[in-house]
Amino acid sequence: MHLVLLVLAGIFVNNYVLSQFLGICPFLGVSKKLETAAGMGVAVIFVITLASAVTYFVYYFILKPLQIEYLYNIAFILVIAALVQFVEMFLKKSSPSLYQALGVYLPLITTNCAVLGVAVLNMQKGYGFIESVLNGVGGATGFCLAIVLFAGIRERIEYNDTPKAFDGFPLALVTAGIMSIAFLGFQGLIKL
Amino acid sequence: MANPIKILRAGIIEENPTFVQVIGMCPTLAVTSSAINGIGMGLSTAAVLIFSNIFIALIRNIIPDKVRIPCFIVVIATFVTIIQFLLEAYLPSLNASLGLYIPLIVVNCIILGRAEAFASKNSAIDSMFDGIGQGLGFTLALTVIGLIREFIGAGTLFDFTILPEMFPRTLLFVMAPGAFFTLGCLMALLNHFKNKKKSAN
């Protein structure tokens, strides 16, 4: 039960994008079209789930025994960079169209704060293996949900008559702000 | 060797990482709930940026092209770890308020972006000035956003109560939505002036 709440909390209550500000760059950058946003969201879920698992092992089976836990930052980011390379190669072979659609944003998942953020959070909270992975899945699903919703809204706003000064990022940011207010409604829903 | 003043100016105004390049958004939105946090994060990021720029510029001719990104990342992560421990030791309160976002300086697109775009192609001295310029531009942006959010949200500036008690505090502005709104409106304001200048020319 606690695990289900963990996932739900990650998606709604502490939404990684709208309340914890992780993953903002791709959130703003890849959300102009719904399909690209969905593709990015799924890719991020995949990478974060794998990253949560692998960083758990790296921390508890490599860093801790060697007593170099303080190097977690360097270790984690290297793991993530390698994972993203792997996902890139995998996508190139299995789904070239998605690979083309994501373009430069796929290697950018390496610098997605959400991936490193989940790994660091898992370590700081001392989660076990299952908890780490589920925390990752929850957070990533939250990211996916947010980016897909956001892309849907942005596609609609394209045709609206808005003040010229707000074209592009300003409007996107204000929209994200309103979405953030909506998600504030989930606060207190789940007490962990 | 390019004019260092020009490089500095570019970092602060023409290529301001926050308002012009729209890069490094995560910490910009996350830690600007107060001006002090904004300055602290800005300066920490600037420190990492300056040192990693210098170091990467120094070793730019030795790094094989294929593995340059992982190399940059290791260099940056090392400096972030150093800054992390310095903050933990000497500024524990700032460390506590910035929390998760200090280790996340590693993935701040600004640092990797400047390493790729500038430090890997220019001398160490130029890269140092670029780091200082971009770092100052970033710190300036964060401070401005932090001041606005802190003022509207808590009525304080640098923890000094400015707004008299009877004025309402819009708590929303020190929470998540406030960050989006403040940055969005600031960018719109800057766009407005840019457009005006363009139409005047």
Side-chain angles (χ1 to χ4, degrees):
Chain A
M1 192 55 203
H2 164 78
L3 298 174
V4 174
L5 288 182
L6 194 65
V7 177
L8 285 178
I11 303 179
F12 296 112
V13 179
N14 294 321
N15 185 289
Y16 272 34
V17 181
L18 299 172
S19 34
Q20 297 202 59
F21 298 115
L22 298 172
I24 296 281
C25 291
F27 179 71
L28 290 176
V30 187
S31 50
K32 284 204 131 182
K33 285 194 58 129
L34 197 53
E35 297 93 37
T36 336
M40 171 59 109
V42 171
V44 167
I45 295 183
F46 190 55
V47 173
I48 288 191
T49 311
L50 280 179
S52 307
V54 179
T55 51
Y56 177 86
F57 283 118
V58 168
Y59 188 74
Y60 286 104
F61 292 107
I62 301 183
L63 295 183
K64 262 214 147 120
L66 292 175
Q67 300 199 334
I68 45 171
E69 300 100 318
Y70 54 89
L71 293 181
Y72 69 86
N73 213 349
I74 308 179
F76 285 0
I77 191 67
L78 281 177
V79 166
I80 293 170
L83 264 177
V84 172
Q85 278 281 77
F86 168 68
V87 171
E88 227 183 309
M89 290 192 293
F90 179 70
L91 268 188
K92 213 170 169 180
K93 289 232 170 90
S94 68
S95 172
S97 52
L98 182 58
Y99 178 79
Q100 286 287 29
L102 287 176
V104 70
Y105 291 108
L106 190 50
L108 280 184
I109 298 184
T110 315
T111 55
N112 185 334
C113 331
V115 190
L116 185 62
V118 175
V120 177
L121 272 173
N122 285 341
M123 178 213 66
Q124 283 179 345
K125 295 214 172 142
Y127 283 153
F129 180 67
I130 307 268
E131 283 178 311
S132 297
V133 175
L134 283 181
N135 189 28
V137 170
T141 312
F143 173 81
C144 187
L145 179 70
I147 202 178
V148 166
L149 286 175
F150 193 51
I153 298 178
R154 277 187 92 175
E155 271 193 355
R156 296 282 181 91
I157 303 185
E158 271 299 298
Y159 303 108
N160 287 1
D161 192 18
T162 46
K164 190 152 179 280
F166 275 88
D167 271 345
F169 281 117
L171 194 60
L173 284 164
V174 172
T175 313
I178 299 179
M179 279 179 76
S180 180
I181 298 182
F183 271 72
L184 268 182
F186 290 116
Q187 285 285 326
L189 196 66
I190 298 174
K191 271 234 135 86
L192 271 179
Chain B
M1 180 170 129
N3 187 354
I5 306 288
K6 219 167 137 207
I7 303 180
L8 281 176
R9 230 187 83 115
I12 304 178
I13 305 182
E14 286 102 24
E15 288 179 28
N16 185 293
T18 310
F19 295 121
V20 177
Q21 297 184 60
V22 193
I23 203 175
M25 291 283 105
C26 294
T28 312
L29 295 168
V31 306
T32 45
S33 48
S34 80
I36 302 264
N37 287 352
I39 295 185
M41 175 55 100
L43 292 177
S44 312
T45 310
V48 176
L49 182 58
I50 295 172
F51 287 119
S52 68
N53 257 17
I54 297 177
F55 195 80
I56 290 175
L58 285 174
I59 62 173
R60 73 185 186 278
N61 292 318
I62 325 176
I63 309 178
D65 190 64
K66 285 231 152 202
V67 292
R68 68 181 196 285
I69 301 281
C71 284
F72 295 163
I73 290 182
V74 172
V75 171
I76 298 171
T78 311
F79 283 117
V80 172
T81 309
I82 298 175
I83 296 282
Q84 236 182 292
F85 287 134
L86 286 175
L87 284 177
E88 250 182 81
Y90 294 112
L91 293 170
S93 54
L94 184 67
N95 189 42
S97 13
L98 294 182
L100 182 63
Y101 296 96
I102 300 180
L104 286 186
I105 296 181
V106 166
V107 287
N108 189 327
C109 315
I110 301 180
I111 308 186
L112 196 60
R114 289 331 275 180
E116 174 75 3
F118 201 94
S120 59
K121 306 188 176 114
N122 288 285
S123 70
I125 304 280
D126 284 347
S127 302
M128 179 184 75
F129 280 112
D130 180 72
I132 299 177
Q134 293 278 323
L136 279 179
F138 186 61
T139 309
L140 201 68
L142 252 59
T143 312
V144 168
I145 300 174
L147 283 171
I148 297 178
R149 283 181 71 190
E150 193 185 345
F151 187 68
I152 303 181
T156 63
L157 281 180
F158 294 111
D159 292 341
F160 291 111
T161 313
I162 307 281
L163 219 49
E165 288 293 324
M166 60 171 170
F167 285 96
R169 274 93 168 105
T170 321
L171 264 180
L172 197 69
F173 270 83
V174 288
M175 300 171 80
F180 288 113
F181 288 137
T182 311
L183 185 60
C185 293
L186 268 178
M187 283 176 94
L189 198 69
L190 288 171
N191 278 355
H192 178 75
F193 287 125
K194 241 193 274 177
N195 292 339
K196 253 182 146 177
K197 225 174 136 187
K198 248 190 257 174
S199 58
N201 285 345

